[in-house]
Amino acid sequence: MSDADTPTDPDDAASDDAAEAAPRGDAALPDSDEEWRDRLTDEEYEVLRERGTEARFSGEHVDRDDDGVYRCAGCGAAVFDSETKFDAGCGWPSFYAADEDAVTLREDDRHGMQRVEVLCANCDGHLGHVFSDGPEPTGERFCINSVALDFDPADE
């Protein structure tokens, strides 16, 4: 039997296929939790909708140094430019600035810590947190989950 003939769990296949095929960018935002689950992978859903955190050094964008734009994985809104990315050594992609119109900041006191949460202003997806220990010119470190971001490389 070939891999193509190997039976799979139909629920897993449907979930993965829906997440990969779901339009982002200019598509209308989901109206329900069920629609978000159909649009996102399980990991994206956990981070973007349930305010989760991926494991340190596990994300695809941690070491990326290509020129381009980072977009919210939930809706496609541009949130960070690669020119503001730096290596903070923390295990998550770090940026010293965000597009101010593209993100919303709010106090986060979960887990017994005082932090500032970073959300996509378009879809309210949890991206990560911002700290005041970043480099100049802002002194800020936006510590963002890779799974919450899609990357569009710059045209060469």
Side-chain angles (χ1 to χ4, degrees):
M1 183 177 338
S2 72
D3 287 342
D5 298 325
T6 304
T8 60
D9 182 337
D11 291 334
D12 288 345
S15 174
D16 289 344
D17 290 344
E20 288 177 19
R24 298 187 188 189
D26 294 331
L29 293 178
D31 291 323
S32 69
D33 185 60
E34 183 178 338
E35 289 176 5
W36 276 114
R37 286 184 185 278
D38 288 344
R39 181 180 189 138
L40 303 171
T41 66
D42 290 344
E43 189 178 19
E44 288 171 338
Y45 183 86
E46 179 185 345
V47 170
L48 288 163
R49 307 315 304 169
E50 296 182 335
R51 301 168 71 192
T53 302
E54 67 192 0
R56 294 176 69 215
F57 297 104
S58 68
E60 69 177 304
H61 303 304
V62 174
D63 296 320
R64 181 183 299 278
D65 63 358
D66 305 315
D67 291 337
V69 174
Y70 291 87
R71 297 183 176 280
C72 173
C75 68
V79 288
F80 297 98
D81 188 285
S82 63
E83 290 183 15
T84 66
K85 190 172 187 290
F86 70 100
D87 182 4
C90 64
W92 293 278
S94 298
F95 304 85
Y96 64 77
D99 180 338
E100 291 181 16
D101 294 330
V103 298
T104 303
L105 306 179
R106 76 173 171 207
E107 295 297 317
D108 178 5
D109 60 1
R110 294 174 305 138
H111 310 297
M113 297 179 273
Q114 294 294 316
R115 300 179 292 178
V116 177
E117 183 178 13
V118 181
L119 301 137
C120 173
N122 187 50
C123 72
D124 205 31
H126 170 79
L127 301 175
H129 292 88
V130 62
F131 303 93
S132 59
D133 60 357
E136 293 299 326
T138 65
E140 295 181 315
R141 173 175 55 97
F142 288 82
C143 185
I144 306 299
N145 291 285
S146 279
V147 73
L149 301 173
D150 287 331
F151 182 74
D152 282 343
D155 295 333
E156 292 184 32

